[in-house]
Amino acid sequence: MRAFRAVAVRVAAVLSAVVLAGCGPSSSGSGPGSGSGDDGDAPPAATAPPAATASTTAAPTPAAPTTPPGPTPPAASKPPAAEETLVRVSRSGGFAGETHVLVVKGDGSWTRLDGKAQPEGSGRLKPADLDALRAALEEADFARLPRIATSSPQIFDGFFYAFVHGGYEVAADQGALSPALEKVLAPLPPFTNG
């Protein structure tokens, strides 16, 4: 039985060496001797021949330090440029069951869209309203808000709002709007022309 285990361990070591030897420069760089990873600047490291065993495999060479890819920081950490969207808010429902969307850019310019994404109006927020909107968006802390908030009992002819800001999307029905989201709505232009 011991002889069988020794053979099994040696076969596993040889297979591991073969698998690692087959990993070229396009691998994730996590295995020994696989080079510096996905940066593509360093030449590929030498690999052990397929017949190598665990006892003859060289020690792993340290890989060049790389910055692991991570999530892009939310746009809320820096003010958006004039042409970038600061916030997008849609309102749907009500008695008529219509959808309207407001898109506000970083410079305060806004566009109102109908349910078919056709422009219905445009304008520019007053500087005081733009400042109030920026402050409300920062205070709302979209990363910590619930993704969807609903009220109980449900308001059947009420509105449903969806907010997109800084890489986050949150939604709430009219009866479940948090005070922070109500502050975001306050400086916005009307959702309809009338």
Side-chain angles (χ1 to χ4, degrees):
M1 185 69 169
R2 286 184 183 171
F4 178 73
R5 285 186 187 163
V7 170
V9 169
R10 181 164 283 199
V11 168
V14 170
L15 289 177
S16 296
V18 170
V19 168
L20 290 176
C23 296
S26 64
S27 73
S28 65
S30 60
S34 64
S36 62
D38 55 8
D39 61 2
D41 294 334
T47 57
T53 63
S55 62
T56 61
T57 304
T61 56
T66 60
T67 304
T72 305
S77 63
K78 64 179 176 91
E83 68 278 354
E84 293 179 8
T85 299
L86 176 61
V87 66
R88 178 184 179 102
V89 183
S90 67
R91 183 184 80 173
S92 58
F95 290 112
E98 296 178 347
T99 297
H100 299 277
V101 179
L102 289 170
V103 180
V104 181
K105 300 288 186 178
D107 64 355
S109 62
W110 58 267
T111 303
R112 182 184 309 115
L113 307 169
D114 66 13
K116 297 179 182 177
Q118 298 300 313
E120 291 186 311
S122 62
R124 185 175 297 273
L125 294 176
K126 295 176 184 174
D129 287 338
L130 180 58
D131 291 342
L133 177 60
R134 287 183 188 277
L137 289 168
E138 187 174 332
E139 183 183 318
D141 194 7
F142 276 56
R144 290 194 165 87
L145 288 174
R147 295 301 138 229
I148 298 177
T150 57
S151 63
S152 181
Q154 182 180 4
I155 302 171
F156 289 104
D157 291 327
F159 291 111
F160 188 80
Y161 295 89
F163 302 79
V164 178
H165 170 69
Y168 295 97
E169 183 172 358
V170 298
D173 64 31
Q174 185 175 344
L177 279 173
S178 68
L181 291 178
E182 288 178 357
K183 284 184 181 180
V184 171
L185 289 175
L188 294 177
F191 282 91
T192 59
N193 288 324

